[in-house]
Amino acid sequence: MSLSLAIGLWYVFIPGSKILDVTYQVPVRIEHLPAEMTLEKIDPPNVSVTFGAINRAFYLFEPQKLEAKVDASLAVLGRRTFQISAEDLNYPKNLTVKELTPDSIKISVRTNGKKNGT
């Protein structure tokens, strides 16, 4: 009994302590787009993010919950290119961001004729 428990614990913890780098395609989500604007395109729609962590950190990891958030509130001033950094990513904090490419995205918007508050 204790031998099988020891083998089970070894199987989970020892191989699970190896450091891995895993890359995911993470969708970009636009936030705070002014009400008078409609988003037409995000280029690129995904960013490539490489995370580093011990193997077991990825066991219960849900990659579909990853996202890169971009605050587009400055689009009203004509800004169309936005930088993305690790701070803009929604990811488990037991992972480390090793690489993020590209580090900027472009958006295409159109004005829909509606002004703030109307």
Side-chain angles (χ1 to χ4, degrees):
M1 169 88 172
S2 60
L3 178 60
S4 57
L5 178 61
I7 291 171
L9 289 173
W10 179 86
Y11 183 74
V12 170
F13 290 108
I14 301 303
S17 63
K18 180 181 177 188
I19 302 294
L20 291 180
D21 287 348
V22 181
T23 302
Y24 295 97
Q25 293 301 307
V26 178
V28 175
R29 186 177 68 154
I30 303 300
E31 296 182 329
H32 310 294
L33 187 67
E36 65 271 14
M37 297 182 146
T38 300
L39 181 66
E40 292 187 329
K41 183 179 177 184
I42 304 170
D43 184 33
N46 298 301
V47 292
S48 178
V49 183
T50 301
F51 295 101
I54 56 174
N55 192 12
R56 67 175 161 259
F58 294 101
Y59 286 166
L60 299 176
F61 176 63
E62 298 179 68
Q64 66 274 15
K65 291 187 177 181
L66 293 171
E67 65 182 354
K69 299 177 193 175
V70 173
D71 181 354
S73 57
L74 294 177
V76 73
L77 301 176
R79 185 170 175 186
R80 300 297 185 263
T81 301
F82 296 89
Q83 297 297 310
I84 298 179
S85 68
E87 291 79 34
D88 300 315
L89 298 173
N90 182 27
Y91 67 96
K93 298 308 174 198
N94 62 339
L95 305 179
T96 302
V97 176
K98 299 274 191 117
E99 186 178 4
L100 185 144
T101 55
D103 63 354
S104 66
I105 59 108
K106 293 181 181 181
I107 63 170
S108 297
V109 296
R110 68 176 165 82
T111 305
N112 57 21
K114 193 163 84 175
K115 297 292 182 196
N116 286 335
T118 60

